[in-house]
């Protein structure tokens, strides 16, 4: 698993590095770093727009793949407030996966509040566009997780990781953009805490480093940040200040996507960069990705 | 003259078909009871899932007396009383799901009916006891009402086991109750009484049986001996409730549950069911009645004497629960709220609120919190001990206040970036404030008391082992009999325009640090 994930990620990064030149010509490539795609505009086309900038979902999902998608619907909060990923955005990701030939898509989360209420409030059933091929799953039992060592972990040495991720061909992380009282922001890498059984244990260590440790073994094939609206204070559960941004940020490099997304709005009425978020810094220091937005190849589109 | 054996062999058994029908009716009602029990859960409409309790005249009588108000939901039980006045105690023989359960276990225990029990007056004793205790201020109905007993047994005994079994096959999360063993012991005791005689509970102890039996004495249709009787005693031996005195040719209407066994047994079709309006004399027993009266008078004050109010600091009642004395008088311990609670947080109390508080619901947030978007317990409560509040109103019905134990808190004591309580709180009642302790500046949690409703989500999610570092106490609980919980002031505090009081999280690296 580790080797496969490593290879996939490596290939992905290599492909991302090569892609701009082959697809869009040298003049659009401003930097040689990882591509971060940013789509703004009409909600119904945001995911497609961002994926087009990355070369289409077909680059990530191959015919016959089992795909798992992790939106954040951990809280039984009203979907508009931004504490959970928009069901509509999730549905778009699912549809693109199916169009790319995915054999099966699992939409899942390990909810903090009661799962039935979380599903009800987030409206996540809307993502089940095809009852045969798409399933909605909430994790709640220890046997749904498998012990996984974290060889390079500085704080977290091992974790019980959701089997659905380990057993899928592709993993798409689909967080919502929101503030977080302990970690500042909760984007892609923070959302990975939803993949492990005993997330409470992370709070008993250096949380920021532990998140980076986790990110060193669970590498999404694709991260899509739902920033149609951002919960910029009161996160992660809300209620708080919700800002409409009408955008989606996507990419392969989990550090780059998070670092870029930190800058798309103010948090707690202050401006921050990826470099000022401890867990993103920790991840960059472990070599998990690019934190400097100047070195990223940022592609923007209005859809 | 032919012998009894010859007559029995010759007879086309007239009762067989109707006895099969009776079994089918019994099993249908038991199945309906179980289906309604299973359906009492989040995601299904709870409307009329409490219908058995609505038609239970004992619930209606005792709860109305105890709460000093007519239990409107229980008016339907007058139908059962009227039907009993017409046809006798058929409810026990055809409808009562506990009676059917006792019949089923009795079939395994295979006890022959002894002659009429000496303690058959016991059911009037319990009835008088319940009524008197209710009149002087304590409701013990939960210990004696057959439907409450069965419902609670299903909740506390059957459901945890079933959910654990089903949980092996599905994603269903096993339900756990803290008081399962005690409930199991009482159920085993009750069913085990069948070793003494069939339907021991129904004929000797059940106050609902006593109530319906009392009415049956005056019923218009009864079983009776008609025509020649050779006093063979087969009917008497077949009767599971000892209602027949074949020597004197009498059927005691208070004991007869209409099971029809005698029709089947009689070789001559002497026992018939028909119009017999003459009331039978009621013999409750003066001595027993006086003892029951005295017991009721003594038990009521005794019930509350074992608790001290100040020891109830963590006795959290579900949101919308009546003020404690009224709550205890209205609650029939049926366990439906505990079955319905989607987080498993509602647990049976033991003796925290007195003898009459055993098996009443209490929220144990460490097991499961009160979900903001759920008001199911109030919807399923058959006696409105938990008021059926609209969802928004429920979120204002405060059940307690969270208190932080800084000596156990990861953020306060160990400088960890832990604000899980703040994360989890759906009411913005926990503020993260940057506090510098011994040189370390870190966001640490504070409870914003006016915003807290005591839902306990913080306590349920606190990541430390053992008791949480933030716990809900019942202080400032809002317990009302009538009226609304939401006030303009509280609504303003919670309005969306208000940004939460919080400092910039320490997850950010800031220049000034």
């Amino acid at each position: 698993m580790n080797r496969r994930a490593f290879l996939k990620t490596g290939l992905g990064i290599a492909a991302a590095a090569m892609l701009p030149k082959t697809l869009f010509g040298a003049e659009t490539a401003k930097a040689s770093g990882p591509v971060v795609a940013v789509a703004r505009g009409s909600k119904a086309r945001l995911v497609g727009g961002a994926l087009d900038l990355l070369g289409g979902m077909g680059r990530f999902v191959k015919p016959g793949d089992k795909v798992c998608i992790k939106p954040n619907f951990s809280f039984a909060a009203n979907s508009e407030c931004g504490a959970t990923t928009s069901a509509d955005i999730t549905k778009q990701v699912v549809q693109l996966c199916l169009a790319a030939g995915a054999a099966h898509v699992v939409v899942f989360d390990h909810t903090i509040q009661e799962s039935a209420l979380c599903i009800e409030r987030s409206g996540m059933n809307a993502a089940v566009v095809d009852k045969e091929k798409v399933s909605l799953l909430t994790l709640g039992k220890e046997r749904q997780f498998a012990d996984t060592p974290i060889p390079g972990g500085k704080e977290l040495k091992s974790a019980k990781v959701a089997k659905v991720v380990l057993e899928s061909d592709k993993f798409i992380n689909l967080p919502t953009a929101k503030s977080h009282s302990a970690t500042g922001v909760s984007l892609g890498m923070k959302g990975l805490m939803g993949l492990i059984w005993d997330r409470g244990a992370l709070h008993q260590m250096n949380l920021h480093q532990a998140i980076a440790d986790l990110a060193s073994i669970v590498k999404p094939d694709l991260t899509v940040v739902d920033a149609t609206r951002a919960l910029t204070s009161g996160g992660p559960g809300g209620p708080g200040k919700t800002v409409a941004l009408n955008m989606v940020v996507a990419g392969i490099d989990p550090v780059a996507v998070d670092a870029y997304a930190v800058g798309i709005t103010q948090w707690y009425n202050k401006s921050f960069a990826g470099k000022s978020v401890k867990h993103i810094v920790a991840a960059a220091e472990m070599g998990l990705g690019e934190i400097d937005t100047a070195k990223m190849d940022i592609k923007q589109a209005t859809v | 003259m032919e012998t009894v054996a010859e007559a029995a062999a010759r007879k086309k058994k007239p009762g067989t078909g109707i006895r099969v029908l009776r079994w089918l009716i019994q099993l249908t009602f038991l199945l309906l009871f179980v289906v309604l029990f299973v359906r009492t859960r989040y995601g299904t409409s709870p409307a009329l899932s409490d219908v058995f309790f609505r038609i239970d005249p004992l619930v209606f009588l005792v709860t109305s007396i105890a709460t000093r108000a007519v239990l409107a939901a229980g008016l339907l039980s007058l139908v059962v009383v009227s039907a009993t006045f017409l046809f006798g105690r058929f409810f026990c023989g055809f409808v009562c799901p506990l009676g059917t359960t006792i019949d089923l276990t009795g079939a395994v225990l295979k006890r022959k009916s002894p002659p009429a029990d000496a303690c058959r007056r016991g059911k009037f004793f319990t009835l008088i006891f319940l009524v008197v205790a209710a009149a002087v201020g304590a409701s013990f109905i939960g210990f004696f009402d057959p439907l409450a007993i069965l419902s609670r047994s299903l909740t506390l005994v059957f459901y945890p086991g079933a959910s654990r079994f089903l949980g092996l096959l599905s994603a269903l999360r096993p339900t756990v109750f803290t008081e399962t063993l005690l409930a199991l012991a009482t159920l085993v005791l009750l069913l085990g009484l069948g070793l003494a005689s069939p339907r021991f509970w129904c004929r000797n102890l059940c106050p609902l049986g006593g109530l319906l039996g009392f009415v049956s004495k005056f019923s218009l249709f009864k079983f009776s001996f008609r025509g020649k009787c050779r006093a063979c005693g087969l009917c008497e031996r077949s009767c599971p409730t000892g209602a027949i005195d074949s020597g004197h040719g009498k059927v005691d209407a208070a004991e007869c549950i209409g099971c029809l066994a005698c029709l089947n047994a009689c070789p001559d079709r002497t026992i018939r069911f028909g119009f017999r309006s003459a009331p039978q004399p009621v013999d409750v027993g003066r001595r027993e009645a006086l003892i029951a009266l005295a017991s009721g008078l003594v038990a009521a004050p005794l019930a509350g004497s074992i608790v001290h109010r100040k020891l109830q600091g963590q006795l959290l009642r579900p949101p919308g629960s009546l003020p404690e004395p009224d709550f205890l008088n209205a609650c029939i311990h049926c366990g439906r709220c505990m079955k319905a609670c989607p987080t498993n947080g509602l647990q049976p109390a033991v003796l925290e609120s007195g003898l009459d508080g055993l098996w009443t619901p209490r929220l144990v947030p460490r097991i499961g919190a009160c979900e903001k978007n759920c008001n199911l317990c109030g919807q399923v409560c058959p006696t409105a001990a938990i008021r059926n509040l609209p969802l928004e109103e429920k979120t204002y019905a405060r059940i307690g206040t969270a208190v932080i134990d800084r000596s156990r808190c990861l953020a306060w004591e160990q400088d960890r970036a832990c604000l899980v309580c703040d994360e989890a709180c759906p009411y913005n009642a926990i503020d993260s404030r940057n506090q510098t302790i011994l040189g370390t500046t870190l966001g640490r949690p504070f409870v914003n008391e006016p915003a807290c409703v005591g839902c306990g989500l913080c306590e349920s999610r606190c990541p430390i082992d053992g008791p949480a570092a933030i716990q809900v106490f019942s202080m400032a609980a809002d317990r009302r009999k009538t009226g609304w919980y939401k006030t303009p002031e509280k609504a303003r505090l919670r309005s969306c325009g208000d940004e939460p009081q919080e400092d910039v999280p320490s997850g950010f690296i800031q220049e000034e640090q």
Side-chain angles (χ1 to χ4, degrees):
Chain A
M1 164 60 210
N2 272 339
R3 188 173 56 185
R4 191 173 70 173
F6 175 74
L7 285 174
K8 275 193 304 198
T9 315
L11 284 173
I13 290 172
M18 285 159 62
L19 191 73
K21 290 181 187 109
T22 53
L23 266 184
F24 302 99
E27 69 276 11
T28 59
K30 293 168 198 153
S32 58
V35 178
V36 174
V38 184
R40 291 184 174 79
S42 159
K43 187 175 180 182
R45 293 197 296 276
L46 281 177
V47 178
L51 263 293
D52 283 347
L53 295 173
L54 293 173
M57 189 60 96
R59 267 190 64 205
F60 305 97
V61 175
K62 301 299 175 196
D65 272 355
K66 282 193 285 183
V67 182
C68 64
I69 302 174
K70 191 209 164 288
N72 185 328
F73 56 100
S74 227
F75 293 90
N78 200 328
S79 176
E80 274 81 60
C81 95
T84 55
T85 306
S86 148
D88 189 34
I89 293 292
T90 311
K91 182 176 153 189
Q92 292 176 37
V93 177
V94 172
Q95 283 169 332
L96 288 173
C97 290
L98 292 177
H104 193 81
V105 178
V106 182
V107 177
F108 75 100
D109 197 2
H110 178 191
T111 62
I112 288 175
Q113 275 175 268
E114 202 52 37
S115 60
L117 289 128
C118 290
I119 290 172
E120 186 182 283
R121 287 279 150 154
S122 63
M124 210 38 88
N125 271 318
V128 185
V129 292
D130 179 337
K131 286 209 164 79
E132 301 276 302
K133 291 183 171 175
V134 185
S135 52
L136 186 61
L137 172 74
T138 50
L139 305 176
K141 295 186 158 184
E142 193 166 1
R143 68 160 190 264
Q144 293 170 312
F145 300 81
D147 244 325
T148 309
I150 303 178
K154 293 177 186 168
E155 285 279 327
L156 194 63
K157 306 293 183 189
S158 75
K160 285 194 161 77
V161 178
K163 286 180 184 168
V164 62
V165 176
L166 303 177
E167 290 162 5
S168 293
D169 299 307
K170 299 289 155 55
F171 167 45
I172 299 175
N173 194 12
L174 183 53
T176 182
K178 58 179 175 177
S179 51
H180 193 283
S181 44
T183 57
V185 290
S186 175
L187 299 162
M189 288 188 289
K190 173 70 180 70
L192 297 177
M193 275 177 76
L195 300 183
I196 62 172
W197 169 245
D198 188 12
R199 54 189 155 199
L202 270 68
H203 290 282
Q204 301 182 24
M205 42 187 87
N206 179 338
L207 177 66
H208 317 290
Q209 182 59 48
I211 292 169
D213 292 343
L214 180 62
S216 72
I217 56 152
V218 189
K219 298 185 176 177
D221 297 277
L222 175 67
T223 300
V224 180
V225 179
D226 168 18
T228 48
R229 65 274 183 278
L231 178 67
T232 64
S233 73
K241 185 175 173 185
T242 305
V243 180
L245 297 173
N246 303 315
M247 65 196 281
V248 150
V249 180
I252 296 168
D253 182 332
V255 181
V257 172
D258 278 8
Y260 179 83
V262 172
I264 59 178
T265 184
Q266 286 196 328
W267 305 96
Y268 303 91
N269 297 322
K270 284 189 172 182
S271 297
F272 294 100
K275 287 175 184 172
S276 46
V277 179
K278 287 178 185 172
H279 70 271
I280 300 179
V281 171
E285 283 170 356
M286 290 177 84
L288 302 178
E290 182 56 62
I291 196 169
D292 189 351
T293 44
K295 291 180 184 162
M296 299 174 197
D297 179 7
I298 294 150
K299 296 177 178 298
Q300 315 218 22
T302 302
V303 294
Chain B
M1 188 175 163
E2 64 182 348
T3 64
V4 170
E6 284 163 358
R10 176 182 50 79
K11 193 184 70 163
K12 281 187 193 167
K13 300 200 168 188
T16 306
I18 201 161
R19 289 192 76 209
V20 171
L21 184 67
R22 170 177 167 255
W23 266 108
L24 287 177
I25 294 173
Q26 278 191 289
L27 292 174
T28 305
F29 276 114
L30 178 60
L31 188 68
L32 180 65
F33 192 84
V34 173
V35 167
L36 290 178
F37 168 81
V38 171
R39 277 180 55 86
T40 306
R41 64 186 168 88
Y42 192 84
T44 57
S45 163
L48 279 185
S49 68
D50 61 346
V51 68
F52 274 95
F53 296 92
R54 289 175 181 236
I55 64 167
D56 181 338
L58 186 69
V59 168
F60 175 66
L61 177 71
V62 174
T63 307
S64 295
I65 294 173
T67 58
R68 314 287 193 261
V70 175
L71 180 67
L75 285 169
L76 205 57
S77 66
L78 296 180
V79 174
V80 170
V81 175
S82 310
T84 306
F85 179 68
L86 282 175
F87 303 116
R89 202 180 148 187
F90 76 97
F91 181 90
C92 308
F94 284 80
V95 181
C96 179
L98 184 65
T100 306
T101 309
I102 290 173
D103 275 344
L104 290 171
T105 53
V108 178
L109 299 174
K110 281 198 171 130
R111 279 286 149 167
K112 288 273 184 288
S113 177
D117 305 83
C119 58
R120 58 166 54 169
R121 283 171 177 164
K123 56 186 173 296
F124 299 117
F125 183 99
T126 53
L127 177 64
I128 294 168
F129 168 77
L130 287 184
V131 169
V132 171
V136 294
S139 176
F140 292 98
I141 187 173
F143 298 101
F144 292 102
D145 181 78
L147 302 181
I149 290 171
L150 185 60
S151 174
R152 182 177 64 238
S153 301
L154 284 173
T155 302
L156 299 183
V157 179
F158 170 79
Y159 185 48
S163 66
R164 184 158 292 273
F165 177 71
L166 292 174
L168 295 174
L169 312 170
S170 70
L172 184 73
R173 212 174 43 194
T175 302
V176 174
F177 288 110
T178 52
E179 223 38 73
T180 286
L181 269 184
L182 194 57
L184 176 67
T186 54
L187 182 67
V188 167
L189 180 69
L190 192 153
L191 297 177
L193 288 172
L195 280 172
S197 68
R199 288 230 178 198
F200 185 96
W201 163 262
C202 313
R203 57 205 284 186
N204 298 316
L205 292 170
C206 180
L208 178 56
L211 179 61
L212 295 177
F214 178 78
V215 175
S216 296
K217 287 278 191 184
F218 305 91
S219 67
L220 301 183
F221 289 81
K222 297 186 186 79
F223 285 85
S224 60
F225 284 71
R226 301 188 183 198
K228 79 179 168 81
C229 168
R230 59 181 106 200
C232 65
L234 285 176
C235 54
E236 189 169 328
R237 267 178 276 158
S238 75
C239 180
T241 62
I244 301 172
D245 177 355
S246 61
H248 297 89
K250 284 181 181 166
V251 181
D252 188 337
E255 303 302 319
C256 174
I257 59 170
C259 77
L260 312 173
C262 52
L263 292 192
N264 201 29
C266 179
D268 299 319
R269 305 185 67 176
T270 300
I271 289 195
R272 308 261 185 90
F273 181 65
F275 188 72
R276 272 280 191 278
S277 61
Q280 294 181 352
V282 180
D283 181 19
V284 176
R286 189 194 296 170
R287 185 185 165 85
E288 287 87 344
L290 283 173
I291 298 174
L293 184 89
S295 309
L297 289 173
V298 172
L302 189 69
S305 68
I306 63 163
V307 288
H308 193 284
R309 196 178 56 79
K310 284 184 179 169
L311 295 179
Q312 296 183 342
Q314 283 185 299
L315 182 67
L316 308 173
R317 296 298 192 185
S321 292
L322 300 175
E324 190 65 15
D326 300 301
F327 177 81
L328 288 175
N329 284 337
C331 177
I332 61 169
H333 314 195
C334 64
R336 284 168 54 77
C337 50
M338 295 181 244
K339 164 65 176 72
C341 180
T343 70
N344 197 194
L346 283 187
Q347 294 283 330
V350 191
L351 296 174
E352 295 88 341
S353 62
L355 285 173
D356 49 344
L358 180 63
W359 290 312
T360 53
R362 62 180 297 207
L363 184 75
V364 179
R366 198 64 172 139
I367 297 176
C370 180
E371 281 284 352
K372 187 177 182 181
N373 302 312
C374 173
N375 57 350
L376 200 52
C377 50
Q379 290 183 53
V380 303
C381 179
T383 58
I386 308 169
R387 299 172 68 194
N388 186 1
L389 299 176
L391 198 50
E392 195 204 4
E393 197 63 36
K394 183 229 98 158
T395 67
Y396 284 93
R398 185 170 186 169
I399 61 179
T401 308
V403 176
I404 294 172
D405 177 355
R406 291 183 182 177
S407 68
R408 311 193 74 224
C409 173
L410 292 174
W412 279 103
E413 180 65 24
Q414 298 184 32
D415 290 345
R416 296 299 183 189
C418 179
L419 284 157
V420 172
C421 49
D422 178 26
E423 282 180 42
C425 180
Y427 297 94
N428 275 342
I430 297 174
D431 300 334
S432 163
R433 293 292 174 84
N434 288 338
Q435 296 284 306
T436 305
I437 297 177
L438 299 175
T440 304
T441 303
L442 189 70
R444 305 181 207 258
F446 287 81
V447 177
N448 174 16
E449 284 84 3
C452 179
V453 300
C455 75
L457 207 57
C458 50
E459 183 176 338
S460 81
R461 297 298 161 187
C462 176
I464 66 171
D465 294 333
I470 181 163
Q471 295 189 6
V472 181
F473 290 81
S474 57
M475 61 187 181
D478 196 355
R479 306 275 293 268
R480 290 162 191 263
K481 219 169 169 175
T482 56
W484 299 117
Y485 304 82
K486 183 181 175 184
T487 61
E489 172 62 14
K490 285 200 239 173
R492 195 195 58 74
L493 265 176
R494 202 185 283 181
S495 70
C496 286
D498 278 7
E499 278 191 51
Q501 299 290 311
E502 57 191 342
D503 288 336
V504 171
S506 50
F508 287 120
I509 303 162
Q510 288 187 276
E511 297 306 318
E512 53 270 25
Q513 282 183 22

